[in-house]
Amino acid sequence: MEVTGFGVAGQSSQGQSVTRDRLSDTFDNFLTLLTKQLQHQDPLSPMDTNEFTAQLVQYTEVEQSISTNEKLEDLLALQSANQAMSAMSFLGTTIEAQSSSFALADGEGVFEYEADTSTLATQIVILDSSGKPVRIAQGETGAGSHTFTWDGKDNDGNALEDGVYTVQIQGKDRDGKTVEFETRAVGRVTGVEVRDGLVILSLGALQVSLNHVHAVRPAPDAES
């Protein structure tokens, strides 16, 4: 599991610490200069303190802003850690996640496709990482959700390497109109991480966002 950090308002915690140190040094110099000027001012013609007052207010506002950002960053880091801990419960479970890609692992790849209407014919096209079609098969024509299990072989019967593949589903209804399909990757969760505030689940070589998960099935041990 990996929890990645991210800055707030464009600054990392280290950058904010440097900024705070620089502000503190500048503020100390400002107060020293102000004290010297007050000590050596002409009693009969005291200097105008409006500008100094305005600068004091500005320094205070900047320091408060930096402090607020640091506290917000701490809260976001804590939230990220809590998300990672909660997502650990997905390890070992089988999920369905909206995706046009799926993972081939140990010579088997599983995905689902769904259409609101039936088709005269449904064609399944599986493409490799370069976008080259490697397998074409006929799918179900009925409306609803269907599962397709691929044996990892191309059109010539050659076993392909494990990895991430893309699926395209094509079909037309009785009126000749193109039918829209939703595809979902199916696989066992092998890893969890938080990236830029999002929980990412690994299904072997494939990574999907938790936001795209449609269904979760318990791990085999949990079912027994």
Side-chain angles (χ1 to χ4, degrees):
M1 180 188 69
E2 178 184 356
V3 179
T4 57
F6 46 91
V8 179
Q11 291 185 345
S12 64
S13 58
Q14 181 178 3
Q16 290 179 355
S17 178
V18 172
T19 301
R20 179 182 287 277
D21 291 341
R22 290 176 179 174
L23 178 66
S24 178
D25 292 340
T26 304
F27 188 61
D28 289 342
N29 293 335
F30 169 78
L31 290 179
T32 299
L33 178 61
L34 175 61
T35 301
K36 292 294 183 181
Q37 289 180 322
L38 290 175
Q39 289 176 347
H40 296 87
Q41 69 175 336
D42 184 355
L44 301 178
S45 180
M47 63 185 214
D48 185 3
T49 59
N50 290 333
E51 182 178 351
F52 286 103
T53 302
Q55 291 186 34
L56 281 172
V57 172
Q58 290 177 355
Y59 278 118
T60 302
E61 290 177 347
V62 172
E63 187 173 21
Q64 288 178 344
S65 177
I66 294 174
S67 178
T68 299
N69 280 353
E70 289 177 344
K71 292 178 180 178
L72 179 58
E73 185 177 63
D74 291 340
L75 289 175
L76 290 175
L78 179 60
Q79 181 184 29
S80 181
N82 289 337
Q83 286 180 325
M85 292 302 295
S86 298
M88 288 289 288
S89 61
F90 284 94
L91 284 174
T93 64
T94 297
I95 66 169
E96 302 171 13
Q98 182 179 357
S99 175
S100 60
S101 299
F102 67 98
L104 176 66
D106 298 326
E108 182 177 278
V110 183
F111 59 85
E112 293 187 351
Y113 57 100
E114 183 176 356
D116 293 332
T117 61
S118 60
T119 64
L120 291 176
T122 299
Q123 186 179 67
I124 297 173
V125 182
I126 298 175
L127 305 93
D128 62 15
S129 58
S130 67
K132 174 186 175 182
V134 294
R135 179 68 180 272
I136 298 177
Q138 297 302 310
E140 301 293 336
T141 58
S145 181
H146 307 283
T147 301
F148 186 88
T149 302
W150 180 39
D151 59 7
K153 296 180 179 180
D154 63 15
N155 291 326
D156 297 324
N158 302 311
L160 301 179
E161 295 182 355
D162 288 351
V164 177
Y165 290 81
T166 302
V167 58
Q168 295 179 350
I169 312 294
Q170 303 168 356
K172 293 186 177 182
D173 62 17
R174 298 183 182 276
D175 297 326
K177 296 180 180 179
T178 299
V179 175
E180 298 293 332
F181 290 88
E182 179 183 293
T183 56
R184 296 188 290 269
V186 179
R188 188 173 183 180
V189 179
T190 57
V192 176
E193 67 174 296
V194 177
R195 186 187 307 156
D196 296 331
L198 293 176
V199 176
I200 305 298
L201 306 178
S202 296
L203 310 180
L206 179 68
Q207 292 187 324
V208 298
S209 170
L210 179 60
N211 296 338
H212 294 159
V213 174
H214 280 224
V216 181
R217 305 168 192 163
D221 295 341
E223 294 178 340
S224 60

